[in-house]
Amino acid sequence: MALTGALLLALSACPTAQAYDFKASSVFYNYTSPQKKGAVVTYFDLQNNLEAYTDNVVIPGKVSYNGSEIPVRGIGDHALFNCQFVTSVVIKDGPSYIMDQAFSHCYGMKTLTLPSTLTFIGDYAFEYCEDLTTVTIPAAVEEFGSNVFTNCNGLTEIKVEEGNPILEDIDGVLYLKSPKMLVQYPSGKGADEYTIPAGVTVVAPYAFSPAYNLRTITIGPDVERIRPLTFTDCPLLTDIVVDEQNPNNCTIDGALYDKAVETLIQYPRSRVCEELSLPEGVVSADAFALNGCTDIRNLVLPESFRSIDDFCLFNSRFNSITCKSHRPPVVGSYAIDENTYNNTILYVNAADVDTYRKAAGWSSFKQILPIGSSAVSDIDINRRAVSTEWFDMQGRRIEKPASGMAISVTTYSDGTISRTKEVL
């Protein structure tokens, strides 16, 4: 979806200086050429643009200034960026393009009318327009940027006028016609499940960013491998289902893997699991694959495991992580957060404890213990264990047993509590 050469040349003529050339009827403009034959809507001051535009904004097809009538060619980069007090925007016929982030962070914009002359919409053009509930894309649009409606939290449907050469909507969900790509699922759409239909081959990385109400997503038979981050911002998601005929993806216990079951692509954020054991043969976990998963008590990584990608375990909560690989897996940028290092017990093979204590990305764990060993009560040197209670596997309080499996609940001086399953 790159710009065509002719259109790129036309847009590159638009000046990007911060100072606007003139103001007419509460709208700021720059001239598109030294000859002053056209105008483009611009911002007042990018750093102080909050109140530059307010309430109902009408952008005309032509503007009168200094006795001349000047055609409005388009809306420039960041033109209404962060104008949070705008409630509606009407763009009259005439402008043909809306540039990158032109209406980004217009949180209060409830209605939007686009002109029939519009042919181009740039990247992130309407991101974070949180009060916008519906939008109609004109038939003339032939170039469409990436993440145009990302984080439009109230958006319930995206419509496309009939006759558009590149876009269509199916039940309010935005698709690119060729290749058949799911571009954007409206964040505020009320359904709790969605099936990506047959024929769709590509899902844009941020197509479900976010999807607040979805609990189940079914991936159709023709979808290519799902990219990282696609389902990360689905806070209620419990199940990802893959059509059995799909040659690129598969699902195991509600989690998404590649077909060869070598990579964990996404674990649903709201799926509850006492112990998640990745299958033997899995070698990696994609970026954000387990990000924000707070309902997994214990995570087990197989001997085959080799790498954890960026932010994979960030903002997650585990009682323990067991890594059976003799070679410490490669840990990506911010793959593991400070809370996990401080409050999660890492279990590894007895022969590998010293190796992990020296390995990048693993040495920061406060407790690294041999698999099958007991946990140390106070795993944070900056806090003191106040009391420890013991429970059997049926949850009944007991005296500390001499041997066998038990659960210890330790209360610390800082008010935090840890719950650990232990073999004594």
Side-chain angles (χ1 to χ4, degrees), residues 7-131:
L7 186 57
L8 180 60
L9 289 174
L11 298 184
S12 64
C14 300
T16 58
Q18 286 206 2
Y20 58 92
D21 291 330
F22 68 95
K23 179 182 179 182
S25 300
S26 302
V27 178
F28 300 91
Y29 298 93
N30 279 328
Y31 291 112
T32 58
S33 66
Q35 292 75 28
K36 302 181 180 180
K37 293 183 177 181
V40 56
V41 178
T42 190
Y43 43 79
F44 164 72
D45 178 340
L46 194 55
Q47 301 303 316
N48 302 285
N49 213 37
L50 183 64
E51 298 183 10
Y53 296 94
T54 60
D55 301 322
N56 304 312
V57 176
V58 178
I59 297 172
K62 295 180 180 180
V63 59
S64 296
Y65 183 69
N66 276 350
S68 299
E69 194 171 61
I70 306 166
V72 178
R73 305 295 189 189
I75 293 85
D77 288 317
H78 304 94
L80 276 74
F81 180 86
N82 198 38
C83 292
Q84 300 176 25
F85 303 116
V86 169
T87 56
S88 73
V89 172
V90 175
I91 306 174
K92 301 288 188 178
D93 285 352
S96 63
Y97 58 84
I98 296 174
M99 293 299 289
D100 296 352
Q101 292 189 290
F103 297 92
S104 176
H105 293 76
C106 287
Y107 298 109
M109 184 170 67
K110 294 178 174 61
T111 61
L112 170 68
T113 302
L114 300 176
S116 64
T117 51
L118 188 67
T119 61
F120 171 81
I121 301 177
D123 297 344
Y124 299 94
F126 300 100
E127 67 167 344
Y128 288 103
C129 290
E130 295 184 346
D131 284 353

Side-chain angles (χ1 to χ4, degrees), residues 184-309:
Q184 187 69 59
Y185 182 91
S187 296
K189 194 174 179 66
D192 61 4
E193 61 182 47
Y194 186 71
T195 298
I196 300 171
V200 176
T201 59
V202 181
V203 178
Y206 294 94
F208 293 88
S209 181
Y212 285 112
N213 298 310
L214 284 179
R215 297 179 183 273
T216 301
I217 294 174
T218 300
I219 297 170
D222 304 308
V223 175
E224 298 171 359
R225 178 170 167 175
I226 299 291
R227 302 176 190 176
L229 291 170
T230 302
F231 302 127
T232 298
D233 289 332
C234 299
L236 299 183
L237 194 62
T238 59
D239 286 283
I240 302 172
V241 180
V242 179
D243 189 287
E244 291 182 357
Q245 302 301 313
N246 189 295
N248 306 297
N249 307 281
C250 74
T251 185
I252 299 174
D253 295 331
L256 179 64
Y257 295 83
D258 67 317
K259 194 68 172 182
V261 196
E262 294 180 345
T263 300
L264 173 66
I265 300 171
Q266 186 70 59
Y267 191 86
R269 279 179 58 179
S270 285
R271 190 175 181 86
V272 178
C273 182
E274 181 66 28
E275 181 171 289
L276 173 61
S277 294
L278 303 190
E280 185 61 43
V282 172
V283 297
S284 64
D286 271 344
F288 291 85
L290 289 154
N291 185 285
C293 292
T294 58
D295 294 313
I296 302 171
R297 300 292 174 260
N298 306 293
L299 174 65
V300 180
L301 307 176
E303 186 177 348
S304 57
F305 201 76
R306 294 291 178 266
S307 66
I308 303 175
D309 213 336

Side-chain angles (χ1 to χ4, degrees), residues 162-181:
E162 290 188 13
N164 188 288
I166 65 165
L167 299 169
E168 65 179 346
D169 75 273
I170 301 175
D171 191 28
V173 179
L174 183 63
Y175 285 88
L176 185 70
K177 290 182 176 179
S178 181
K180 194 62 175 273
M181 173 193 289

